[in-house]
């Protein structure tokens, strides 16, 4: 009886519920889009340095350019602020310093500590051509901390964020001359997450209530993760503020509080607040030629970075929520958790797009993940039709460019799918890391001109590129030679004929192959003998994995570019994507198979999403462009490639089907290409 009691007790040991465990992988890695941006270099701005020299290597860059916009006066001049102190103008290819803000501010100008320190942003008034007014953000320390008082509640300040209004005597001049006045000063509790972007709604016309109102993204000062500050409506930190620079009913009479702001007249709440619950609201923009919605690129804490549709009075949830998940202050995992069952009662606004940090397993739980979402723009320009309606944004550290369809970005609806874009320069596929010649940190930013055309900036080398086109990956014409209906044994040459069956409409690998001498490569496959060798080729077929799902490491392969048993390409379609040999694009060139696909993340040991996870039939398409070496693999009719690669080892060859050590089958094979005879 005692033994029975012991067994029953063991069965009822309490275990942690899913609600109590952090979400290990909140979001899938953005998949490939098959779409690439053509970048054309337009400028490289001068080298600059913070003063005094910073100890943080992340601030030691070529310069710290962080935005590009167009002066709203019809001149076509572009403006670019450098956080190290100067505002530059690009006047149809000619660049010059327009304003040395750092010199004007003097010794209190702070740029050497904190990623957001220095000359943070510039916004030109929509009437700049007539009134000469523009606005800047910068940070101050030194004597400012004791000699100047913040305008809004700012306890325990170690740095001040300052918004200044400048009035140019001649708005058309190449160099600023005029007057300036301090508009607003707010203190922050650390050197990060202060004032970020400021700007005017470009959709507002002179008769709209929003016209001429200045939006101000104010971060949480780096302390939201341990406090309720972002949720406190009596404080300006962790909020988007909206003020009238021409008004006088704000503190000290230097700005106005719009009557339509959501918390005007409510006791204990700042009338300047437009939306709240933010950690680092880094960049916002409006879909000015489309939905007119305001989108915010928000940098998360340790797990998720998000894009929000910002509406008046919205609460984005920080620091109770991070992205679509619950955040728990003080949790040692620094992770995110499932939402509580009664979440709806809180009324939080959740993201319309997002990506997670994909932390390495070897990373300390609360260490900096090295990710930062760079908010961008919905493309509504006229030059690149394939980009229209796409919200283009990115990850700034690694220099990855993403997009989500604006039509799918709806507050209160499931998040839009985010996909990664490729980068081309001079017609050649490249990466931003390669363009800036820095494998560690790109410091990507975005810009936009008055025509809605996009720009890419990088602090790593201080260069600016214009997005001048878009390319579809592996878009070559395959040719007019065609093979189909090849299901008889005489059409195929297997490695081991006894393992294969040809029952009529299918090609069946009925028994698993075994490893053979020579380089590591698929154990068993059959090469299509019917028809010619192909150069550029498109292979369409249906495949099925007959190995039971319960077994691990299941795969079938599509062979192409086949020259010999030790010279060919293959696409490995697997139910596993966690080890090097699985679920990728490979080349065998008289040596062990080598992985080629761009989706493989060696540091995390993970590749593209598993291609085949069951025993059902799946459609597969493989495209190989011989001239460019571009290879793309598509599954189940998706217009987005699951895997992509670039390699020119083999410009032609035959196609085939097989596996390493599993069984499976193929049907409905169609091969289109340029025959090589």
């Amino acid at each position: 009886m005692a033994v029975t009691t012991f067994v029953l007790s063991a069965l009822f040991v309490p275990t942690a519920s899913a609600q109590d465990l952090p979400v290990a992988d909140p979001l899938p890695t953005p998949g490939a889009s098959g779409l690439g941006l053509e970048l054309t270099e337009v400028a490289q701005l001068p080298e600059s340095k913070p003063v005094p020299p910073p100890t943080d290597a992340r601030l030691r860059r070529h310069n710290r350019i962080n935005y590009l916009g167009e002066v709203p006066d019809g001149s076509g001049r572009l403006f670019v602020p450098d956080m190290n102190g100067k505002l530059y103008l690009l006047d149809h290819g000619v660049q010059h310093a327009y304003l040395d803000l750092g010199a004007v501010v003097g010794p209190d100008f702070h740029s050497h500590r904190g990623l957001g320190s220095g000359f943070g942003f510039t916004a030109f008034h929509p009437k700049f051509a007539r009134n000469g007014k523009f606005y800047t953000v910068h940070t101050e320390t030194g004597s400012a901390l004791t000699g100047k008082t913040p305008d809004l509640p700012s306890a325990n300040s170690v740095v001040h964020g300052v918004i200044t209004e400048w009035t140019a005597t001649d708005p058309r001049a190449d160099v600023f001359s005029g007057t300036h006045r301090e508009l607003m000063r707010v203190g922050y509790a650390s050197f990060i997450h202060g004032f970020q972007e400021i700007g005017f709604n470009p959709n507002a016309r002179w008769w709209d209530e929003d016209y001429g109102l200045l939006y101000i993204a104010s971060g949480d000062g780096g302390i939201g993760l341990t406090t309720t500050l972002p949720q406190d409506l009596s404080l300006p930190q962790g909020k988007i503020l909206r003020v009238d620079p021409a008004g006088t009913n704000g503190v000290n009479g230097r700005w106005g509080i719009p009557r339509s702001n959501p918390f005007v007249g409510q006791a204990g709440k700042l009338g300047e607040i437009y939306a709240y619950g933010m950690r680092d609201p880094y960049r916002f923009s409006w879909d000015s030629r489309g939905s007119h919605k305001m989108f915010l690129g928000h940098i998360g804490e340790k797990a998720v970075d998000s894009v929000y549709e910002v509406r008046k009075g919205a609460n984005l949830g920080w620091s109770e929520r991070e992205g679509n998940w619950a955040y728990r202050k003080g949790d040692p995992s620094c992770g995110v958790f499932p939402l509580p069952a009664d979440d709806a009662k809180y009324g939080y606004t959740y993201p319309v797009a997002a990506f997670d940090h994909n932390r390495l397993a070897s990373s300390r739980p609360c260490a900096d993940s090295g990710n930062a979402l760079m908010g961008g723009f919905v493309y509504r320009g006229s030059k690149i039709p394939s980009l229209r309606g796409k919200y283009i944004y990115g990850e700034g550290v690694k220099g990855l460019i993403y997009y989500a369809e604006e039509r799918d970005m709806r507050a209160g609806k499931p998040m839009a799918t985010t996909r990664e874009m490729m980068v081309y320069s001079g017609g050649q596929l490249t990466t931003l890391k390669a363009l800036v010649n820095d494998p560690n940190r790109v410091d990507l930013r975005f810009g936009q001109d008055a025509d809605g055309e996009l720009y890419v900036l990088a602090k790593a080398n201080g260069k600016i590129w214009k997005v001048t086109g878009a390319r579809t990956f592996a878009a070559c014409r395959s040719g007019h030679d065609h093979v189909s209906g090849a299901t008889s044994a005489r059409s195929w040459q297997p490695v081991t004929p006894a393992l294969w069956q040809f029952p009529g409409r299918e090609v069946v690998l009925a028994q698993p192959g075994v490893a053979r001498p020579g380089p590591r490569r698929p154990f068993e496959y059959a090469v299509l003998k019917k028809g010619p060798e192909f150069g550029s080729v498109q292979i369409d077929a249906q495949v099925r994995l007959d190995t039971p799902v319960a077994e691990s490491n299941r795969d079938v392969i599509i062979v192409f570019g086949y020259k010999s048993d030790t010279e060919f390409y293959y696409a490995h379609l697997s139910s596993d994507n966690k080890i090097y040999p699985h679920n990728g694009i490979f080349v065998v060139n008289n040596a062990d198979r080598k992985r080629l696909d761009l989706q493989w993340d060696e540091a995390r040991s993970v590749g593209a999403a598993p291609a085949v996870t069951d025993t059902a039939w799946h459609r597969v398409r493989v495209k190989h462009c011989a001239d460019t070496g571009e290879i793309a693999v598509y599954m189940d009719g998706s217009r987005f490639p699951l895997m992509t690669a670039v390699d020119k080892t083999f410009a032609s060859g035959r196609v085939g089907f097989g596996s390493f050590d599993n069984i499976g089958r193929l049907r409905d094979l169609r091969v289109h290409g340029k025959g090589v005879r």
Side-chain angles (χ1 to χ4, degrees), residues 149-346:
T149 303
D151 299 303
L152 296 173
S154 308
N156 302 318
S157 301
V158 301
V159 64
H160 286 177
V162 182
I163 300 175
T164 305
E165 178 185 85
W166 305 78
T167 303
T169 303
D170 179 5
R172 298 168 297 177
D174 291 336
V175 177
F176 174 79
S177 176
T179 61
H180 66 280
R181 72 179 180 102
E182 185 172 305
L183 185 74
M184 181 184 293
R185 179 178 294 264
V186 169
Y188 294 92
S190 76
F191 294 98
I192 59 174
H193 309 171
F195 280 144
Q196 301 290 10
E197 179 162 358
I198 56 174
F200 297 92
N201 183 350
N203 306 312
R205 299 297 178 257
W206 65 265
W207 57 84
D208 295 330
E209 62 93 9
D210 213 23
Y211 187 76
L213 301 185
L214 184 66
Y215 286 76
I216 303 165
S218 174
D220 70 356
I223 62 171
L225 74 166
T226 58
T227 71
T228 59
L229 174 145
Q231 295 293 315
D232 189 338
L233 292 172
S234 70
L235 300 171
Q237 296 86 2
K239 316 295 191 298
I240 287 180
L241 312 177
R242 185 176 69 164
V243 302
D244 181 359
T248 59
N249 66 332
V251 176
N252 296 334
R254 293 199 298 268
W255 69 81
I257 301 176
R259 291 180 297 176
S260 57
N261 276 6
F263 305 109
V264 169
Q266 298 184 28
K269 300 177 182 179
L270 289 180
E272 290 86 353
I273 295 173
Y274 182 80
Y276 65 109
M278 300 161 204
R279 176 184 180 267
D280 191 6
Y282 193 69
R283 289 288 180 266
F284 57 75
S285 65
W286 284 265
D287 180 10
S288 58
R289 301 183 184 192
S291 67
H292 288 191
K293 292 180 178 179
M294 181 182 185
F295 292 112
L296 170 70
H298 184 271
I299 301 174
E301 176 61 34
K302 299 297 182 184
V304 182
D305 284 9
S306 306
V307 180
Y308 293 86
E309 179 190 333
V310 179
R311 299 178 180 179
K312 185 188 302 184
N315 179 2
L316 277 54
W318 179 250
S319 53
E320 304 300 325
R321 300 288 183 268
E322 182 175 344
N324 266 359
W325 291 268
Y327 179 82
R328 297 180 184 176
K329 299 179 185 67
D331 181 81
S333 72
C334 287
V336 291
F337 295 80
L339 296 176
D342 62 348
D343 180 68
K345 73 180 184 182
Y346 298 103

Side-chain angles (χ1 to χ4, degrees), residues 57 79 82 100 162 188 316 408 432 461 469 507 580 585 625 672:
F79 66 89
D82 180 341
D100 189 342
V162 182
Y188 294 92
L316 277 54
D408 298 329
L432 277 168
N461 62 358
V507 176
Y580 180 87
I585 300 171
C625 297
H672 298 265

